[in-house]
Amino acid sequence: MSGRTPAQILEAAGVPFSSFTHAPIRTYEDIERELDLPAERLLKTLAFRTGDRFVLVSLPMLTPAGYGKIAKAAGVSRSKLRRAGEDDLAELGMAPGGISPLTDVADRAVVFHTPVPDMGKVYCGSGRDDETIEVDAASLVDLVRPVIADVAS
């Protein structure tokens, strides 16, 4: 299981951010209903499992993910890439609806869709489904050091 929360990772690195709590969210419909945030600033993170390795992929909320492109960017076979289940997310210390690109889990690849570094202020998962983090995308990229690739379908 992950040691620190995404907020603790940001704090330890000295990256400025804020967070706020809200009703639990899992879907985009939940986000639209519960949060008054601009869709173009929302960053979704998808979690995958390839055996013992995790792949975390962050992209703009309304951008459809291309699984083949994700696998290629992460350096894994598409046939080995599977969506992480709730047990997998528990290993990351995260809940569905709160997946974050920030984790202490060592055996993982992180991929950001090409436009993410230039998105400015973004809102991303905190690890919990009832809290959202606001952070500068460029600062997030500097901290996470992800693979940057076109992963849209």
Side-chain angles (χ1 to χ4, degrees):
M1 182 165 155
S2 176
R4 299 178 296 171
T5 67
Q8 290 168 330
I9 293 169
L10 290 166
E11 286 170 0
V15 174
F17 75 99
S18 62
S19 66
F20 56 93
T21 58
H22 46 73
I25 55 174
R26 283 197 171 203
T27 66
Y28 183 66
E29 290 75 24
D30 292 342
I31 291 168
E32 284 186 311
R33 185 180 59 252
E34 301 296 336
L35 307 179
D36 185 26
L37 299 173
E40 66 274 9
R41 297 279 173 231
L42 299 174
L43 195 63
K44 67 181 170 187
T45 301
L46 307 175
F48 298 89
R49 191 80 187 252
T50 61
D52 290 338
R53 187 171 185 224
F54 286 97
V55 176
L56 300 172
V57 183
S58 293
L59 59 164
M61 180 61 73
L62 299 179
T63 301
Y67 286 32
K69 290 181 176 181
I70 290 169
K72 182 177 179 183
V76 299
S77 164
R78 169 62 184 101
S79 64
K80 294 186 180 182
L81 192 69
R82 70 169 176 78
R83 288 294 292 262
E86 288 193 35
D87 289 345
D88 299 316
L89 294 179
E91 284 186 49
L92 289 169
M94 297 184 198
I99 303 170
S100 175
L102 297 157
T103 181
D104 280 340
V105 170
D107 199 5
R108 51 95 169 88
V110 181
V111 179
F112 280 10
H113 185 45
T114 309
V116 171
D118 298 319
M119 287 178 65
K121 178 175 63 176
V122 294
Y123 300 92
C124 68
S126 68
R128 297 173 24 181
D129 65 359
D130 64 350
E131 181 179 22
T132 295
I133 289 175
E134 177 185 327
V135 65
D136 179 70
S139 297
L140 191 59
V141 169
D142 287 345
L143 176 59
V144 175
R145 301 198 181 282
V147 171
I148 307 290
D150 175 4
V151 293
S153 65

